[in-house]
Amino acid sequence: MMIRARAARKKPRPEDGGGGGGGGGGVPRREDARFQGVRVYLVERKMGRSRRSFLTQLARSKGFVVEDVLSDEVTHVVSEDCQASSLWTWLRGHDVKNLPTMHLLGISWFTDSMREGKPVAVETRHLIEDTLPKLAESTSPAPVLTVSQYACKRRTTTTNNNKIFTDAFEVLAERYEFNEIHGRCLAFRRASSLLKSLPRAVRCLGDTGGLPCLGEHCKAVMEEILQCGRSFEVEKILSDERYQTLKLFTSVFGVGPKTAEKWYRGGLRSFSDVLAAPGIHLNRMQQSGFLHYGDISRAVSKAEARALGNIIDEAVHAITPDGILALTGGFRRGKEFGHDVDFIVTTREPGKEESLITNIIERFKQQGLLLYCEHNASTFHKLEFPSHQFEAMDHFAKCFLILRLEGSQVEGGLHGAEGDDRGWRAVRVDLVSPPMDRYAFALLGWTGSRQFERDLRRFARAERRMLLDNHTLYDKTKKEFLAATTERDIFAHLGLEYIEPWQRNA
Ligand code: CTP
Ligand code: MN
Ligand code: MN
């Protein structure tokens, strides 16, 4: 309630002075309204008085007729109460004969109309019956679909029905990340992850009733987007020079928020500033980052990932007949594009996995495929307890590579290379090499998404008194390590329903 009242007062009117129906900003008299055929009535239930009056003013300023009372004049009833049954009960309590001919609409019809500046045609998706399956509350005693606060208990495919909100949340999370306000950053990442898991688009704030992970700030942003089609806070961030610069700098391979901030504080604003600055020393990773910027900032396609899989597979099997290769990361989750391609390479022969990575690197070097390589030798020791940090790096042997990929090896050619006759591109590839008895943990950990992994660990600790990381699972109650040969084993130890890789896009 508080937030609505505040939003109503504070919110700048989106189209002020921008040529909406209201001309010079004044509300036209009722008989001068542009759209006489449409008589809107806003239901106060769920909406609240202040929001209703705000929306009424907004609509009138755009030339709509908004009725204060429900009468037979009304043609369009707009409500934020998404439960058709209770709304009908309420409406029938009013003495109106025309009820059957009125449109009974969710707030989406209203916001669409505000955006268009005219009453939009009524579509099925606007109708009040057409709302989310009851996500949390229900009038029936039957068990309802509840949404867990843990991403590892939700099934999230690559279909995101709430992109307009999650894109905004991502910007907000990133702003907080740049400002090192980690709690808020995480809150927006969680909220974004939750919305990605929903089977339908959120059409009105009422749809979010009972959902976890959506705090006041999140809801205020969503409300703005629902009303105006955009968030002013997000637009302000996007036009902020510091945000833009940090975003640009961190898009370079090897440049994290700390370095980006240092450069920004030093007055640098562009790549040419950085490259020309006398006091700047770029490490090897950053040098490669700049050198291959055009290529590695371009998304990697599924076909390109497959081609790299073939190249690595060939290498692994040339080195050892016992070799094992598995695709992980975003592509294992079914994504069409990624920022890199992630693989697990290992061998059944215990102890041989260490040298496998170095042999692969050596082979790529000889083949002229290696454009950059950072190799981390294994620091893995068998008896180590799982990390308490949710995002700690694992200890397996691994390497972060930039490889040269020939277009001729990619089915359908290189992605986005039209008009480029170079015939090859640079691609980021990560390889990790766990010993075979840790394969399942590494596979689960590297498949992601980051948010899914984070919540697996949080769930294990908070709900099961267990510690999970990319190496192992430890039961603090029984004081023992729990072995696993497949991902299913790990889900079973945790007492979780198995979630397929393509359902982990949290
Ligand atoms: N990961 C990890 N340790 C690292 C690097 C990555 O455990 N040193 C894990 C991350 O937690 C993530 C997965 O590996 O879950 C893949 O990481 P990344 O490639 O960064 O993300 P993707 O989900 O593959 O996304 P994209 O498609 O953009 O590459
Ligand atoms: Mn990846
Ligand atoms: Mn990666």
Side-chain angles (χ1 to χ4, degrees):
M1 278 305 117
M2 286 227 353
I3 208 135
R4 284 186 175 161
R6 202 176 58 229
R9 248 184 291 121
K10 252 180 50 182
K11 193 162 294 120
R13 285 206 262 122
E15 311 241 353
D16 260 2
V27 172
R29 284 175 309 154
R30 181 189 163 90
E31 48 283 15
D32 296 340
R34 284 160 71 200
F35 314 111
Q36 292 289 340
V38 172
R39 311 246 146 174
V40 181
Y41 177 79
L42 298 169
V43 180
E44 191 171 305
R45 273 165 50 94
K46 284 257 167 143
M47 186 177 286
R49 181 173 302 177
S50 61
R51 178 164 154 79
R52 180 177 185 236
S53 99
F54 167 72
L55 296 179
T56 301
Q57 290 304 313
L58 180 69
R60 285 182 180 154
S61 76
K62 287 174 183 282
F64 285 72
V65 179
V66 183
E67 301 286 357
D68 289 322
V69 290
L70 185 61
S71 71
D72 282 325
E73 304 272 78
V74 171
T75 57
H76 293 60
V77 177
V78 174
S79 171
E80 271 190 317
D81 187 348
C82 297
Q83 280 185 281
S85 58
S86 62
L87 186 61
W88 277 113
T89 314
W90 182 82
L91 286 169
R92 278 195 210 97
H94 288 68
D95 189 24
V96 279
K97 290 180 270 314
N98 271 351
L99 209 49
T101 67
M102 291 176 190
H103 292 293
L104 193 51
L105 304 164
I107 195 77
S108 64
W109 174 83
F110 186 86
T111 50
D112 286 357
S113 300
M114 292 305 109
R115 194 164 39 234
E116 300 274 310
K118 59 170 195 265
V120 298
V122 173
E123 295 171 29
T124 350
R125 65 189 179 89
H126 295 131
L127 301 177
I128 209 92
E129 289 88 350
D130 184 43
T131 51
L132 274 177
K134 304 295 174 296
L135 290 168
E137 319 151 14
S138 169
T139 44
S140 71
V144 290
L145 175 62
T146 55
V147 180
S148 171
Q149 61 149 315
Y150 294 108
C152 56
K153 295 191 77 167
R154 306 190 293 251
R155 294 171 202 274
T156 314
T157 66
T158 52
T159 308
N160 177 2
N161 296 304
N162 287 287
K163 198 164 180 302
I164 48 165
F165 306 116
T166 59
D167 282 353
F169 286 3
E170 203 39 57
V171 173
L172 289 155
E174 209 153 29
R175 188 259 310 261
Y176 286 122
E177 188 167 34
F178 288 150
N179 294 346
E180 293 182 79
I181 306 175
H182 301 296
R184 288 187 164 222
C185 169
L186 191 60
F188 277 104
R189 293 246 152 88
R190 272 200 194 139
S192 169
S193 168
L194 177 110
L195 292 182
K196 284 182 188 170
S197 76
L198 299 181
R200 307 274 303 265
V202 169
R203 298 259 163 77
C204 67
L205 225 45
D207 285 345
T208 65
L211 291 178
C213 310
L214 297 174
E216 297 263 293
H217 193 170
C218 292
K219 286 192 180 166
V221 172
M222 290 177 76
E223 186 178 28
E224 239 186 334
I225 295 174
L226 285 165
Q227 271 176 32
C228 314
R230 60 203 174 139
S231 152
F232 295 95
E233 190 180 5
V234 168
E235 288 192 352
K236 212 170 122 210
I237 297 169
L238 287 174
S239 62
D240 176 65
E241 192 196 31
R242 177 166 173 272
Y243 174 86
Q244 286 175 356
T245 311
L246 296 182
K247 184 92 181 134
L248 177 73
F249 289 167
T250 54
S251 75
V252 179
F253 177 50
V255 180
K258 291 240 158 63
T259 306
E261 177 72 32
K262 201 172 73 195
W263 291 351
Y264 179 79
R265 287 226 187 116
L268 310 178
R269 296 292 180 269
S270 66
F271 289 166
S272 42
D273 285 353
V274 173
L275 298 173
I280 300 270
H281 171 76
L282 298 178
N283 64 30
R284 232 168 37 85
M285 196 183 243
Q286 293 160 349
Q287 286 173 21
S288 304
F290 277 112
L291 189 60
H292 300 292
Y293 186 79
D295 275 359
I296 60 183
S297 60
R298 205 165 78 215
V300 185
S301 71
K302 230 180 206 174
E304 288 169 335
R306 228 176 288 128
L308 286 159
N310 294 336
I311 293 166
I312 296 163
D313 189 60
E314 194 185 283
V316 171
H317 288 100
I319 293 161
T320 163
D322 281 337
I324 287 169
L325 172 70
L327 178 68
T328 70
F331 286 107
R332 182 164 184 250
R333 301 197 307 272
K335 278 175 57 174
E336 291 294 325
F337 294 98
H339 95 282
D340 68 355
V341 196
D342 308 278
F343 294 99
I344 293 185
V345 290
T346 186
T347 160
R348 280 180 227 285
E349 236 183 302
K352 278 283 172 68
E353 69 280 350
E354 262 278 37
S355 56
L356 183 56
I357 288 248
T358 48
N359 285 332
I360 293 172
I361 293 169
E362 193 49 44
R363 188 182 157 91
F364 286 163
K365 202 184 281 172
Q366 279 164 16
Q367 292 174 327
L369 302 181
L370 201 65
L371 300 176
Y372 172 82
C373 168
E374 182 186 307
H375 173 230
N376 294 354
S378 165
T379 54
F380 172 66
H381 305 292
K382 285 214 167 351
L383 274 174
E384 226 162 74
F385 284 91
S387 171
H388 280 254
Q389 273 174 285
F390 291 139
E391 272 159 25
M393 273 269 210
D394 64 49
H395 299 283
F396 301 129
K398 63 173 78 63
C399 60
F400 308 107
L401 308 175
I402 300 177
L403 294 183
R404 179 187 165 107
L405 177 63
E406 299 296 330
S408 58
Q409 295 186 285
V410 181
E411 202 188 315
L414 293 172
H415 165 60
E418 295 82 17
D420 177 356
D421 51 11
R422 199 172 38 148
W424 65 275
R425 71 168 286 186
V427 196
R428 277 269 302 111
V429 172
D430 290 339
L431 303 181
V432 61
S433 193
M436 209 42 213
D437 61 339
R438 306 309 167 106
Y439 179 83
F441 294 104
L443 183 61
L444 179 60
W446 278 71
T447 298
S449 68
R450 256 166 229 275
Q451 204 56 38
F452 189 88
E453 302 300 327
R454 197 168 213 297
D455 276 6
L456 262 178
R457 283 152 213 221
R458 192 163 66 90
F459 174 86
R461 191 142 112 199
E463 308 291 335
R464 300 289 186 255
R465 276 183 49 82
M466 290 181 188
L467 294 174
L468 171 72
D469 69 5
N470 285 5
H471 319 92
T472 191
L473 177 63
Y474 180 76
D475 187 327
K476 292 203 285 181
T477 312
K478 292 186 189 156
K479 294 195 170 56
E480 62 182 31
F481 288 93
L482 305 173
T485 52
T486 65
E487 288 180 317
R488 281 182 191 275
D489 295 343
I490 304 170
F491 280 91
H493 284 314
L494 290 169
L496 282 172
E497 269 179 49
Y498 182 64
I499 308 284
E500 299 283 356
W502 48 271
Q503 298 170 326
R504 298 181 204 161
N505 288 287

